[in-house]
Each structure stands twice: as structure tokens, then as C-alpha cells.
Amino acid sequence: MEFDIRTLILVIVTTYFIQALVFFYQYKIHKNIKGPGWWLLWSIGESIMLLLIFFGDIPSFHHYGIALRNLFGALGMIFLYIGTLRFFERNVNLKLIVLIFFIFFTFHLYFNFVNDNLKGRIILFSVLFSAISFMTAFSLLKFKNREVNLSANFLAGTYILYGVFFVNRVIITHFGVNSADLLSPCFLNSLIYFIGLIVSISLTLGYTMMINQRLNSEVIEAKAHFELIYNTSPDAITINRLSDGWFLECNDSFFNIFGYTKEEVLGISGTLISFWKNPNDRLELMKIISEQGFCDNYEVLLLRKNGPVFAGLLSANILNVRGIPHLYCVIRDITERKQIEEELKHKNEELKILNVSKDKFFSIIAHDLKSPFNIFLGFTELMVEQSEGWTLSMFREYATRMRESATNLYHLLENLLDWSRMEQGFIPFNPAAIHLNLLIGESLTSIVETAKLKEIEIISDINDDYEVIVDKNILQTVIRNLVSNAVKFTPRGGKVTLSALPVDDKKMQISIRDSGIGMSPALISNLFKLDVQVSRKGTEKEPSTGLGLILCKEFIEKHSGKIWAESKEGKGSEFFFTIPCS
């Protein structure tokens, strides 16, 4: 049975044209998928190849037509191979492609223009087509994945059969079967064109299936990713019908935050469940959405299932589900954040109180600084105006009092400067190991003279082997302040005893005990408070501000230690503090 070859070629060209439209559409809408553009070029190349067959009857164009149609045919097969590799996002060995094409086209030109040999051209063309077919089939089988397994196997099978057909054509042509003109109405030409038509349709179908399978896989994967994000989000997410609040979907966090089960919520209108502490908030939310189409970061108080109120931050947007408007809501539980904000607010209030306390503190300091200066100025004025006729003993007495006033003023200024430097972070902190006895001995140097004047004995009952890890300058300030206070509030003839006792391998407890006037429980409870006035005069009217104890507390805490006092009125006081030891 013979067919009109020209009609058959036109049918095949029409088929290739439809294929080109299919691949052009795929290329336009799926720019992220690599491959359809190359398959589009294959369809165009094959169409041009078949159309050029009609110009074979023109003598002046005969050889040029053969060269062009075989060129486009070869390029079409190469484009199929490249498109397959790019679909699987594999690199193309361009050197190999160029080499194959160069060899093919060089021999083709030879058999066409130098030695007009139809048999050689057919064998050369068939070898190229079979080789590209087998290479493409191999790539499909090697690089296929689970998502496109079916379509890749179908395409690979088609390419293998196509390659086998051209291998058979090489054998038939080589062993002497006469090669007819491509427009000759013979069985072999009809068979070639029918096989070409079937293969082209099969390839178009297979590649379209492969694209769709990949798209379906990506949709399924994207859906899985969305569901994972949806269900693992710490925020509550709901999808409600806009018209009546009917719950279409809720994520797991919604049920965890609100305390409901799926059966209690899904398929029920949101208006039937009490989520809002203030129902007017829902009306306000819907008003915002109706005006803007969305809502961002709307703070609202919500109710859990059993009634507890929590602060929520709600964002919502409208989306269509099967053409019906729904509300996509994300609700974040910001209870913890609101608590932190409240804590910060509380801390700010404490800071304001602290600043007020500091102002009060500096007011006290100003008063206490003024008193020693007044005494000092009073003595100097007295010496200037009434010193005539004074004896040496009188000069000595007033000089002694002036020295005491100057010493108290110096200690007050020293404490004030230390406190100021400490608040600004200007006091360096460099702890190092040092013998405790040595440190205490150096600290008491400036106090011993004052103690002698009051006939107070200072006793250091500390083991010579004790070693502590402290900042030497800072701890000397602590010891000077505590011992000075002990001397100040101890009557003449009393004692001040320093002792130390290891608490454990890492801490040493030091105590400074005096036989002084003691303190009331109320005074003890306010000793280390900046906003409470605890100053009182010493046993011989020595001034006191309480500033030294504030410094001691800050400095001991800087060493990760603690400081406290024990006392009874009339029975003396004992101050304790802990510091690191080695």
C-alpha cells in the first residue's frame, strides 16, 4: 500500500508545528524548568528539514537543499539531547557536541559536494541519529528521579527503538538495498516517515508528561513544605470563611494556645466560640479588613478555652478558597513579651526612684561636707581673732581638733570620690592572690593613730597562711571603712577585733567586731540602703554619713561576695563579709 509522500510530509510538518506550539507554551509559562526551549528548537529544526525536501527537485538548489535539511535535522536531534540534560539540570559537554557535529557535517559536505554519494549520506545521517538517540536514552535512565520515573522510562524506550531503527537502516543501506529519493512513493520512504511521525508524537507526549510530573511533584513538595511550616509555626494560624467565620482549617499551635480540640472548632462558626475578651475588638478587626483588605499587628486580648486571658498580636489577610473569600489569620501569643515590657516599665520606675535617692543622697553629702568645713573655718577664725595669749597646750588642742576635722573631711571626700568613680565604672577591678594579713596590715596604717587617740585596741586574729583573691585597692577601702566605723562607734578603752574563717574551698568569711554602742534592728535593716538616712554621730561626736557602708556593699558584691551585720544595742556590732580565697 502506497501513500502520497508529499501529503505525508505535510502531515508530519503540521505535527511538528503543533509540537512547536506546545513547547513554546511550556517554555513561556515554566521559565524555571530548563528543557522546553531546546525541545521547541528541535520541533522548528525538524519542520525546516522536512520542508526543504520539497526543494530537492530544483536542480540549482539540489545540493544546497540536501546540506541544509541534514544540517537542521542533525541540529534538531542535538537540541533534543541538550534539552534532556538541561531538564535534569546537568551540564552539557559542549566539546563533545561540537566534535560530533563537526565530524558529521564535514563528511556530509564531502558526500554531497565532492563525492555525490546518496548511500554515504544516508549511512552518515542514520549513524548520527542512532548515536544521539542512544545517548539521550542513556541520560534519561541515568538522571531520572522518582517523580518522573514513568515518563523518563517511556521516553528512553522510544529513543532506544528509534536508535535501533536507524541502526537497521545503516545495515540495510550498507548491504546494497537501493536508496530511493526521499520523495519517491516507495514502502521504505513511507515507513521512514510513519516512524518519524510516531516518534515525534511519542516524544512530545513523553516530554509533556515529564514536565507535568515534575510540576506535580513540585506542587506536592511545596504543599508539604507549607503544611510543615503551617503546623510547626509557634503562632496560631486559622482559615475562616469571611461571611460567617466558619473554621476551615487550624494549625496545631492554635489548639495548643487556645486549648480547644479539632472536633470543637473545625466546621463551626467562630461567632459561636468565645475567643474575644472584648467582642468589640472583632468588629474593629473586621472594619479594618473591609477598608484595607488586610490587618497587621493588631493587639488584642483573647480568651483560652477555660477562661484565662492572654495578649495576642493578630495579622490577617483575605484569600480565596474555591472562589469563596476566606480570612487567613496569624495569632502570636505575646503574653511573655508584655510581661517583659511590664518588667522594663517597672525597672524604669525603679531607676527613677534610684535617681531620686541619689539626689537625696547628694543632698545629704552636701550637708555633711558643710559641717566639717564650718568646724575647720570656725577654728581658723578663732585662731586669727583670739589667739593672743594662748598657751602652747591651747594651740595644740585646737590644732588636734582641726586635724580631726580635716581627717573626717578627707575620709568623706575619699568615699564620695570612690563612689562616684564606681558608679561611672572608672574603678579598675584586678583581683589577684594576696596574703590576707599583709593586706589588712596595710589597710590599718591610716586608722591606727585615730584608734590610739581614743585608746582603742585593734586586734587582728587572722591566720598568717590565709590567702585571698581580691582587688587589693578595693578591699583595702572596705576594711578601712569598716574598721573606721568600729573605732568611731566604740567608746574609749574599747576593742576592735578582726578575724577570718574559711567557709569552704572557695570562700573566706571576714568579721570586724567592736565593743561599741551597737545598733537597733531598724538601723541594721537600713544600713546598706541608699535612699534611707542612717548617719549618726560617733561616741565622741565624730560625723558619719553611711556612705562608707554603701561603698562596702558595692565593692564586696563586685567580688561576688555578701556583706551583713549583727548587733545589739549597748553590746557592740559585728560586720561580716565573704570574699574569694585560694
Side-chain angles (χ1 to χ4, degrees), residues 269-432:
S269 173
T271 58
L272 301 178
I273 303 176
S274 180
F275 291 120
W276 307 84
K277 185 176 187 300
N278 182 4
N280 290 330
D281 288 336
R282 183 181 183 277
L283 299 177
E284 180 66 21
L285 173 67
M286 298 308 297
K287 180 182 177 183
I288 294 172
I289 293 173
S290 64
E291 293 175 353
Q292 301 180 359
F294 67 93
C295 175
D296 279 335
N297 300 327
Y298 182 69
E299 276 196 33
V300 62
L301 293 178
L302 300 169
L303 297 173
R304 304 188 201 274
K305 178 181 177 180
N306 297 324
V309 179
F310 72 96
L313 192 66
L314 190 149
S315 296
N317 215 324
I318 296 176
L319 77 155
N320 288 318
V321 179
R322 301 183 186 93
I324 300 173
H326 282 69
L327 199 61
Y328 181 85
C329 293
V330 179
I331 305 167
R332 177 167 296 176
D333 185 348
I334 58 170
T335 305
E336 186 176 346
R337 193 185 85 180
K338 299 298 286 186
Q339 290 173 349
I340 293 173
E341 289 175 356
E342 287 297 319
E343 289 177 7
L344 288 174
K345 183 179 178 181
H346 179 66
K347 292 293 182 183
N348 286 333
E349 291 174 354
E350 287 183 347
L351 185 59
K352 291 179 182 178
I353 295 171
L354 183 59
N355 286 330
V356 171
S357 301
K358 286 182 180 179
D359 292 340
K360 183 179 179 181
F361 165 76
F362 281 115
S363 175
I364 295 169
I365 294 301
H367 175 269
D368 289 329
L369 275 174
K370 188 176 180 181
S371 295
F373 273 117
N374 285 338
I375 295 172
F376 194 82
L377 290 171
F379 279 132
T380 55
E381 185 178 349
L382 188 63
M383 291 177 69
V384 171
E385 296 178 358
Q386 302 181 21
S387 60
E388 292 182 10
W390 282 11
T391 63
L392 182 61
S393 61
M394 292 176 66
F395 271 108
R396 188 171 292 165
E397 178 184 351
Y398 285 119
T400 300
R401 291 184 181 180
M402 288 174 65
R403 186 185 69 177
E404 290 175 355
S405 178
T407 301
N408 290 332
L409 180 60
Y410 173 77
H411 286 317
L412 180 58
L413 286 171
E414 188 178 47
N415 282 340
L416 179 59
L417 290 172
D418 282 345
W419 184 88
S420 176
R421 289 166 61 209
M422 178 192 65
E423 288 295 300
Q424 297 178 64
F426 291 160
I427 293 183
F429 182 66
N430 302 307

Side-chain angles (χ1 to χ4, degrees), residues 20 32 84 132 137 221-222 228 304 333 376 384 432 492-493 524 574:
N32 61 314
T84 301
I132 297 296
E221 186 176 348
L228 181 64
R304 304 188 201 274
D333 185 348
F376 194 82
V384 171
R492 287 182 175 274
I524 292 174
E574 187 168 9

Side-chain angles (χ1 to χ4, degrees), residues 79-132:
F79 290 152
L80 276 177
Y81 173 68
I82 294 175
T84 301
L85 289 176
R86 297 307 296 141
F87 178 85
F88 292 108
E89 298 183 354
R90 301 291 173 171
N91 293 325
V92 179
N93 189 340
L94 289 177
K95 291 182 179 180
L96 176 62
I97 298 297
V98 171
L99 178 63
I100 291 173
F101 184 77
F102 176 77
I103 293 172
F104 165 78
F105 206 62
T106 300
F107 279 98
H108 182 270
L109 292 175
Y110 174 79
F111 289 128
N112 188 24
F113 292 103
V114 179
N115 179 16
D116 188 5
N117 188 333
L118 177 60
K119 182 177 180 181
R121 288 198 300 269
I122 292 174
I123 292 175
L124 183 65
F125 190 82
S126 300
V127 168
L128 176 69
F129 268 52
S130 61
I132 297 296

Side-chain angles (χ1 to χ4, degrees), residues 473-530:
N473 295 327
I474 289 179
L475 196 65
Q476 283 182 344
T477 302
V478 173
I479 293 172
R480 278 198 304 270
N481 272 289
L482 293 178
V483 175
S484 293
N485 283 347
V487 171
K488 189 182 297 182
F489 297 106
T490 298
R492 287 182 175 274
K495 289 183 179 181
V496 175
T497 305
L498 289 83
S499 60
L501 182 69
V503 178
D504 52 38
D505 293 340
K506 297 182 179 179
K507 285 185 180 180
M508 179 78 68
Q509 177 178 294
I510 298 173
S511 70
I512 299 172
R513 185 177 68 253
D514 64 58
S515 57
I517 58 177
M519 296 177 287
S520 66
L523 184 58
I524 292 174
S525 64
N526 292 321
L527 278 179
F528 303 104
K529 295 179 180 178
L530 184 62

